[in-house]
Amino acid sequence: MILCVRFHHSHAQSHDDDGDAVDAVDVTPLLGLIEDISPVVQALPPDSALVDVRGAQRYFGQDAAGIAAVLRVRALAHAGAGCTIGVAGTPMLARMAAREAGRGTTLVVPDDERAVQRFLAPRPVAALPGIGTATARALGSYGIDTVGKAAAVPLSTLQRVIGTRRGREVYEKAHGVDGAPVVPNAASRSLAAERSFPRDELDQERHRRALLSITEELGVRMRGSGQVCRSLTLTVRYADRSTTVRTRALREPTAHSGALTAAAYRIHESLGLQRARVRALSVRAEDLLPAERATRQLTFDPVDDRARRIEEVADLVRAKFGPQTLFPGSLAA
């Protein structure tokens, strides 16, 4: 069985004094704690990890839910972190279960075909990992709006509707098929961060503040690891659990927080969310590459040059005194 563990602050209210957004707990320092239970661990930054516990079940003499309980107690005792855990037979199902589980709880999807179909059937097609809004919209135009309906459609029909490769992908995922293994120490090709709102949020200014906080975090993390990204993906999760995903290529590879923030704002504005009740926003920096391999177009813009010099100094201060030492002034308002 596979565990998908999402770490968060253990206290019940993990948002700031203004109630703007919730910060997840960085998974990186907790990997050693997980490896004490099972060595087959794959980090899913910023706050999650996949754990193959089949060997641990034999060692501890417990089922996967019991292992999840052990991990929860250890994370709280050693790191003061809470856990939301999904348990299933495949990484895909475990990740979906972790998203559906209540905060601080464990949701188990038994490794049984009927149980898997009961879990998947009522969920929207867009809830399947890797299935974007365009594919979901195309399927919805034919009345295929849930995973259960997609599973009932013949493979050949799905392929005629959305293409050969995408049709097979939807068909297999709708039946719970996932051949991806848990890869220990897998090199990350992307970085992500998320902010959740304590209540369904319509205020566009709060959306922008959350995006500013996210892109500032991503920029600091990429610069700290000597990386840049070539594209950003914004995921918006709504009150009804549906999502919108948009990916945009950047003009040039960058880890500059200002450029990342501007790109995230442009994607957000293009969605027209004035009346949308948003539950969470996440941004993923994708197509990572070493900073030394990237080229930068000189702009001779004194404002941009000044911002980058300030950023370099701020990174030095954060490295010495901690990541929360400095942050954009608008986040303190």
Side-chain angles (χ1 to χ4, degrees), residues 200-326:
D200 300 335
E201 189 58 72
L202 293 107
D203 190 334
Q204 297 291 296
E205 188 56 36
R206 289 181 182 267
H207 294 179
R208 289 172 67 88
R209 289 183 65 183
L211 290 173
L212 174 60
S213 174
I214 292 171
T215 50
E216 182 73 16
E217 176 189 332
L218 291 177
V220 170
R221 289 168 59 191
M222 282 192 286
R223 294 192 299 273
S225 60
Q227 296 177 300
V228 294
C229 70
R230 288 182 280 203
S231 63
L232 284 186
T233 294
L234 171 64
T235 300
V236 183
R237 182 154 50 90
Y238 303 104
D240 62 358
R241 296 183 182 272
S242 64
T243 59
T244 297
V245 182
R246 291 288 185 275
T247 300
R248 294 285 175 84
L250 301 175
R251 294 187 179 95
E252 62 182 18
T254 187
H256 177 39
S257 293
L260 298 174
T261 302
Y265 283 173
R266 287 194 296 269
I267 302 173
H268 178 261
E269 290 166 2
S270 72
L271 297 178
L273 301 177
Q274 287 80 2
R275 296 180 180 273
R277 294 190 299 151
V278 175
R279 183 163 296 175
L281 295 167
S282 66
V283 178
R284 181 174 294 276
E286 300 185 311
D287 296 327
L288 298 183
L289 73 157
E292 62 269 17
R293 289 174 48 194
T295 58
R296 178 191 164 204
Q297 177 67 45
L298 296 178
T299 62
F300 301 105
D301 180 355
V303 175
D304 183 67
D305 290 340
R306 181 172 178 271
R308 291 176 186 270
R309 288 198 300 270
I310 292 174
E311 191 172 72
E312 291 175 3
V313 174
D315 286 344
L316 293 175
V317 174
R318 292 189 187 99
K320 185 173 183 179
F321 297 105
Q324 299 303 318
T325 306
L326 291 174

Side-chain angles (χ1 to χ4, degrees), residues 39 62 64 108 115 121 126 131 147 150 166 177 186 194 198 200 229 253-254 256 297-298 323:
Q62 299 190 49
V108 179
I131 305 304
V147 178
R166 184 64 78 181
V177 177
E194 179 177 294
D200 300 335
C229 70
T254 187
H256 177 39
Q297 177 67 45
L298 296 178

